[in-house]
Amino acid sequence: MKFYISTTGIKRVTISSSGAAGKASPTKATAPRRISIRTLLPAVLVLGIALPFLFVRIAFLVLESAAACSSPLDCIGWRFFSGADASLLREELSRALVEAKEGDINEEGIEIESFDKLVKDMTSKREDIKAFAFKTKAMLRQMERKVQSSRQRESIYWHLASHGVPKSLHCLCLKLAEEYAVNAIARSRLPPPEYVSRLADPSFHHLVLLTDNVLAASTVVSSTIQNSANPGELVFHIVTDKKTYTSMHAWFAINSIKSAVVEVKGLHQFDWSQEVNVGVKEMLEIHRLIWRHYYNNLKEEDFEYKGEHKRYIEALSPSSLSLLNHLRIYIPELFPDLNKIVFLDDDIVVQHDISSLWELDLNGKVIGAVVNSWCGDDCCPGRKYRDYLNFSHPIISSNFDPDHCAWLYGMNVFDIEAWRRTNITATYHQWLKLSHKSGLALWHPGVLPPSLIAFEGHVHPIEPSWHVAGLGSQSAEVHPEILEAAAVIHFSGPAKPWLEIGFPEVRSLWTKYVSFSNNFIRKCRVMG
């Protein structure tokens, strides 16, 4: 018996038999025989394997052809068994993207808010790949403008928030000023008479703060004393303006510190020479002109936070017009009886004992400052000169090196005796006048650029671990081990720790030295 199956499918089954002698059987009709399950099982298995594959293949081709063809059936054709021509689709998509990149598009009437809306719009109108590329370009442009606008608003709000006075700090000043008026203890002499002799004694460690922020000053003093090996050697000289003097005096008079000496002095209590008065007035007038220049020329695009002109916004900060901020250059006149001091900004925290700073040998230099950094030899902690000075101007490019590291201002050792033997203050004024004559084009706004020029050649580098700065900047990324090892951490930048925009991950390093149990702190609800 023989069993035949057609190669194109099971269309016909023929069964025949032959005799022993090989002769054909008599011709007559034979009854059809039933096909057994064992016979059809191989064919069923083949179909069971092939049909799912064919179904998936057809579905894939239909989906692929829908993007490139007007009718899916037109594209399946001969590719059904020979394979999809994916390269053709890729070439067409690439060509459409290049045309969209180089071509102009009219965005009027095109408002696509999401990818889902784009897909719905494309499928409902049955548009081709070229239309898809141009609409995608329009959608991306719209999104970029929205992102840029959001960044601009963020920069404006950031700028306003960083230079405003929190309600709690304003409350603290008012409460303390009121206390100064009604409480005799708040008006008591600072320091007490028995400690006045220490104010000019070179054997003590003298620290200078120029600030109008009571809370910040108290934190600097508190952190320094708590981490000092011998707080009895410390003498703090706090200089403030006339409006803050009563509040600052009341705070340190009420919260007296027995282990150290604190002097609070207002600018109105200094008896300066006529020459110094003229110089200070001239300096402030030039800085006011700088402020007015950038204010009048401010454009909306300057508020782009990551843009080149973000430093112009910094020029509009109140610190740019603060007399206290600019009086650093007059430290020898402020303290004629002192020879060596440590200068501290009000946005710093002292984490370790700093008594050895007064024993540093500055090798005849005027200022000791961090110049190099923990981040490597080619890394500058305070950025480089090119970030502060305008090297496109011939006066700057011919006198300074753009790759020179700028030193950090905010925790510095000053040899005032060596300073008096130089012309640093006069040089500072000369460059301010030159900047004014040059159309304010010599450097970016701020106090540091002219100071970099004035102290050029008078800076002695100190170890990077003495001063880690930038904790108030968005770009600051300092390893926790480096922060912990730093003697002084500096919240330089707009995000001060007493502001709501201060970074929570580092704010605790500052708040741990705030006396939240203090009655005035609690009444004014100073944030913790």
Side-chain angles (χ1 to χ4, degrees), residues 240-277:
T240 189
D241 54 20
K242 188 175 182 179
K243 67 178 178 60
T244 315
Y245 170 73
T246 56
S247 303
M248 190 77 72
H249 189 284
W251 174 269
F252 287 101
I254 295 172
N255 303 287
S256 59
I257 302 171
K258 297 181 180 180
S259 57
V261 172
V262 178
E263 176 194 30
V264 177
K265 201 169 183 180
L267 292 177
H268 59 288
Q269 297 174 323
F270 284 89
D271 187 16
W272 290 340
S273 66
Q274 182 63 24
E275 181 183 358
V276 173
N277 280 330

Side-chain angles (χ1 to χ4, degrees), residues 11 14 45 55 79 109 163 210 222 238 240 281 300 331 387 429 446 463 509 512 517-518:
K11 293 183 178 179
T14 306
L45 290 175
F55 174 78
R79 291 190 300 169
H163 302 307
L210 305 176
S222 175
I238 301 176
T240 189
K281 289 178 65 177
E300 186 177 356
I331 284 180
D387 297 312
H429 277 276
E463 288 294 326
L509 299 175
K512 64 189 292 187
S517 61
N518 183 275

Side-chain angles (χ1 to χ4, degrees), residues 61 68 83-84 88-89 103 113 118 139 222 292 332 369 382 394 402 445 457 497 515 527:
L61 291 176
L88 180 63
L89 179 62
E113 300 176 354
L118 174 65
M139 181 180 70
S222 175
R292 193 176 300 116
S515 178
M527 62 182 298

Side-chain angles (χ1 to χ4, degrees), residues 115-295:
F115 181 76
D116 292 340
K117 189 176 184 303
L118 174 65
V119 172
K120 183 179 179 180
D121 191 43
M122 293 298 300
T123 54
S124 62
K125 296 181 181 179
R126 302 184 64 82
E127 296 184 356
D128 56 13
I129 292 180
K130 183 177 180 180
F132 169 77
F134 275 87
K135 286 195 174 183
T136 302
K137 178 181 179 180
M139 181 180 70
L140 291 176
R141 279 185 174 179
Q142 293 173 7
M143 290 183 175
E144 286 175 357
R145 282 194 293 269
K146 289 180 180 179
V147 170
Q148 184 178 8
S149 177
S150 298
R151 286 178 176 172
Q152 290 172 353
R153 287 194 298 269
E154 179 193 12
S155 297
I156 295 173
Y157 299 151
W158 185 272
H159 168 73
L160 295 176
S162 64
H163 302 307
V165 178
K167 183 180 178 181
S168 57
L169 297 190
H170 184 63
C171 167
L172 183 63
C173 282
L174 291 179
K175 294 289 185 183
L176 289 170
E178 180 184 8
E179 192 71 14
Y180 183 88
V182 301
N183 189 348
I185 298 178
R187 298 191 301 271
S188 59
R189 186 172 178 178
L190 285 177
E194 60 270 25
Y195 297 118
V196 171
S197 61
R198 297 187 183 183
L199 297 179
D201 191 339
S203 64
F204 287 88
H205 297 160
H206 298 269
L207 302 99
V208 171
L209 285 82
L210 305 176
T211 179
D212 59 355
N213 189 323
V214 177
L215 183 64
S218 68
T219 305
V220 173
V221 172
S222 175
S223 64
T224 307
I225 291 175
Q226 289 186 37
N227 294 293
S228 175
N230 191 355
E233 295 181 348
L234 302 176
V235 179
F236 294 90
H237 303 268
I238 301 176
V239 180
T240 189
D241 54 20
K242 188 175 182 179
K243 67 178 178 60
T244 315
Y245 170 73
T246 56
S247 303
M248 190 77 72
H249 189 284
W251 174 269
F252 287 101
I254 295 172
N255 303 287
S256 59
I257 302 171
K258 297 181 180 180
S259 57
V261 172
V262 178
E263 176 194 30
V264 177
K265 201 169 183 180
L267 292 177
H268 59 288
Q269 297 174 323
F270 284 89
D271 187 16
W272 290 340
S273 66
Q274 182 63 24
E275 181 183 358
V276 173
N277 280 330
V278 172
V280 171
K281 289 178 65 177
E282 183 182 66
M283 177 182 64
L284 283 179
E285 183 58 31
I286 293 177
H287 282 291
R288 285 193 181 97
L289 291 174
I290 294 174
W291 190 93
R292 193 176 300 116
H293 167 79
Y294 287 104
Y295 180 81

Side-chain angles (χ1 to χ4, degrees), residues 91-103 133-134 137:
E91 290 176 3
E92 186 174 353
L93 179 59
S94 300
R95 186 166 52 251
L97 292 175
V98 171
E99 291 181 10
K101 175 184 176 182
E102 298 176 352
F134 275 87
K137 178 181 179 180

Side-chain angles (χ1 to χ4, degrees), residues 51-67 72-73 76 79-80 84:
L51 286 178
F53 171 77
L54 294 176
F55 174 78
V56 173
R57 184 62 174 166
I58 292 173
F60 175 77
L61 291 176
V62 170
L63 292 175
E64 183 187 55
S65 63
L73 295 177
I76 295 177
R79 291 190 300 169
F80 182 81

